[in-house]
Amino acid sequence: MALSFCNSKATPHLQGVGVKFRGNRGVESVKNLIKKVGIPPLVSSPPESLRRGTWVKLICGASFEDVVDIRNLSLVYTLAGEFDPEDCPLDCSRPCELVCPANAISIEEEQSDAQVSYGGSVPHKLKGGVITERCYGCGRCFPVCPYDRIRAATYVRDASTTSRLLKRNDVDAVEIHTNGRQTARFEELWDSLGDSMGYLKLVAVSLPYNGDSTLSLMNALYTVMEPRLSLFNLWQLDGRPMSGDIGRGATRESIAFAVCLATARNRPPGFLQLAGGTNAHTVNGLKREGLFRMYSGENSKDKTMVPGLPNSPHALISGIAYGGYARKIVGRVLNSMHSKHGPALIEHHPEYLLEALVEALALVRTVKGYDQFTSK
């Protein structure tokens, strides 16, 4: 069971006040791109975006705490593994570095402090390892390590601490991750959070697809939540976790999950959001299945409203959460900027902001419906 938080109040916006550029170079290009694409000056409210099926969520990664990168990703898009590098053989090809999508593994060779007898070679050792601020726990480094030196680390935050945080009233949404198999730990967590849930605007429950038992589990979880559910709720369908940056095939399981639940008559109330394997191919996959911006009762004699929102029919699939893929396409720009300028706010370098914005818009516009545009 895991919790993540969302605070929309802290999210910077491209339009309006709050973003200041150092110098004018590139600023007009950014403004012109926003105008050309047709991004509206005022965005719709989160509930309205969910109803219309135009909701887009950016997943920065579980326990991803590189504040500068999160802040820059948020602007553009408006647990960790551990090992001791000194245990790694010097001749290792370091496949863990190559496979890490977050660039969260850095291993360097350095000269050892050990004494060397006359005529002997200077000993070396490896330093570095996992950069915990970047690691979001995808697990790809585990199977590729030829010496099995990487181990998992789990971080637990007390539920009472979380409850006090929510009561500060500066967190809008909570996401609870489940294993899709049992409800006991979920009920324990929900009860521990108590009346703090009343301070939120939305609660999301993320779950994997477990065949025929998925719907019964969702209904059991909803039964636990319902007595204190005075806010919107959302089901995050985690088709193939942490795989969106792999390629076209990664989104198939996410689409299959959507097909299974979108029209199920006995599913509990709540918006549906796709995650796990989502990438640039997801919207086309939804279109092929007739689910993209399809509303309850369309092309059917069934005109019933979607459960949970009486008198307000909304899209069967309310939104898409992009994680690894979204970070990857913008991360290339951020890495380029970091290598030249070090950790920096991206709006201080408008040429990089423009490049990152083009990448982000190419992904987001397919959901939001912005006008076509080209990088030129």
Side-chain angles (χ1 to χ4, degrees):
M1 196 75 62
L3 279 170
S4 60
F5 302 91
C6 172
N7 183 354
S8 65
K9 299 180 182 66
T11 304
H13 297 278
L14 284 172
Q15 293 93 5
V17 297
V19 177
K20 296 182 179 179
F21 295 93
R22 188 171 58 196
N24 294 320
R25 186 163 58 95
V27 176
E28 288 303 316
S29 296
V30 174
K31 291 181 179 179
N32 290 336
L33 177 61
I34 292 173
K35 292 178 182 178
K36 183 176 182 180
V37 175
I39 300 177
L42 294 175
V43 296
S44 58
S45 66
E48 182 60 25
S49 292
L50 287 165
R51 292 190 183 103
R52 294 170 53 196
T54 60
W55 175 262
V56 176
K57 170 189 169 184
L58 172 65
I59 303 174
C60 287
S63 295
F64 188 68
E65 296 170 351
D66 190 320
V67 177
V68 174
D69 271 358
I70 289 177
R71 191 251 182 225
N72 285 337
L73 281 165
S74 298
L75 175 60
V76 172
Y77 281 102
T78 268
L79 216 213
E82 292 183 348
F83 65 93
D84 186 348
E86 293 190 21
D87 292 338
C88 299
L90 285 170
D91 60 353
C92 179
S93 61
R94 306 172 193 172
C96 56
E97 280 188 310
L98 298 176
V99 78
C100 180
N103 295 321
I105 298 178
S106 177
I107 305 174
E108 298 177 358
E109 193 172 329
E110 70 171 6
Q111 184 174 320
S112 173
D113 294 331
Q115 296 294 322
V116 182
S117 60
Y118 179 77
S121 60
V122 178
H124 289 75
K125 65 179 180 179
L126 298 178
K127 67 174 183 177
V130 174
I131 305 171
T132 56
E133 293 84 359
R134 294 184 182 178
C135 175
Y136 58 89
C138 73
R140 294 183 203 174
C141 55
F142 295 126
V144 301
C145 178
Y147 302 99
D148 195 25
R149 300 292 171 86
I150 304 175
R151 59 188 180 274
T154 302
Y155 302 91
V156 179
R157 290 177 174 86
D158 184 80
S160 62
T161 302
T162 301
S163 180
R164 290 195 297 271
L165 173 63
L166 299 183
K167 289 181 178 180
R168 284 168 35 184
N169 206 29
D170 57 0
V171 173
D172 290 333
V174 163
E175 184 176 293
I176 305 175
H177 289 247
T178 71
N179 59 18
R181 291 187 294 273
Q182 48 82 28
T183 62
R185 294 185 64 192
F186 180 88
E187 185 170 7
E188 180 183 351
L189 174 63
W190 187 262
D191 290 342
S192 298
L193 293 174
D195 61 354
S196 65
M197 302 302 289
Y199 291 81
L200 301 173
K201 296 178 181 178
L202 180 142
V203 59
V205 176
S206 180
L207 70 163
Y209 179 57
N210 281 330
D212 294 340
S213 65
T214 304
L215 277 170
S216 59
L217 175 77
M218 290 173 66
N219 279 291
L221 294 174
Y222 187 79
T223 299
V224 172
M225 294 190 294
E226 188 175 19
R228 292 202 310 274
L229 195 62
S230 58
L231 61 160
F232 292 111
N233 76 294
L234 178 149
W235 303 100
Q236 177 166 284
L237 313 183
D238 210 351
R240 186 176 173 183
M242 294 177 284
S243 65
D245 60 313
I246 293 176
R248 183 186 298 272
T251 199
R252 292 173 184 166
E253 292 175 54
S254 180
I255 300 297
F257 202 168
V259 171
C260 175
L261 292 184
T263 57
R265 291 179 175 272
N266 60 334
R267 71 176 173 86
F271 297 109
L272 297 182
Q273 172 182 271
L274 300 193
T278 52
N279 53 36
H281 306 290
T282 303
V283 169
N284 286 336
L286 287 173
K287 288 179 178 178
R288 285 193 296 269
E289 296 294 341
L291 290 178
F292 185 65
R293 296 194 187 172
M294 178 68 73
Y295 293 81
S296 177
E298 278 193 10
N299 300 328
S300 166
K301 294 181 180 179
D302 176 20
K303 300 296 182 181
T304 57
M305 303 301 178
V306 175
L309 290 175
N311 305 319
S312 180
H314 63 80
L316 294 175
I317 303 301
S318 296
I320 302 176
Y322 295 108
Y325 181 80
R327 295 193 301 272
K328 182 178 181 178
I329 60 176
V330 171
R332 290 191 291 259
V333 180
L334 296 181
N335 290 338
S336 177
M337 181 183 72
H338 291 171
S339 64
K340 187 171 183 179
H341 302 285
L345 302 182
I346 194 168
E347 68 269 25
H348 289 173
H349 303 280
E351 65 277 17
Y352 289 102
L353 176 57
L354 177 63
E355 186 179 352
L357 183 58
V358 168
E359 296 284 358
L361 284 171
L363 180 65
V364 172
R365 69 167 181 80
T366 60
V367 183
K368 291 291 189 182
Y370 297 148
D371 294 337
Q372 294 282 344
F373 76 99
T374 66
S375 58
K376 296 180 182 179

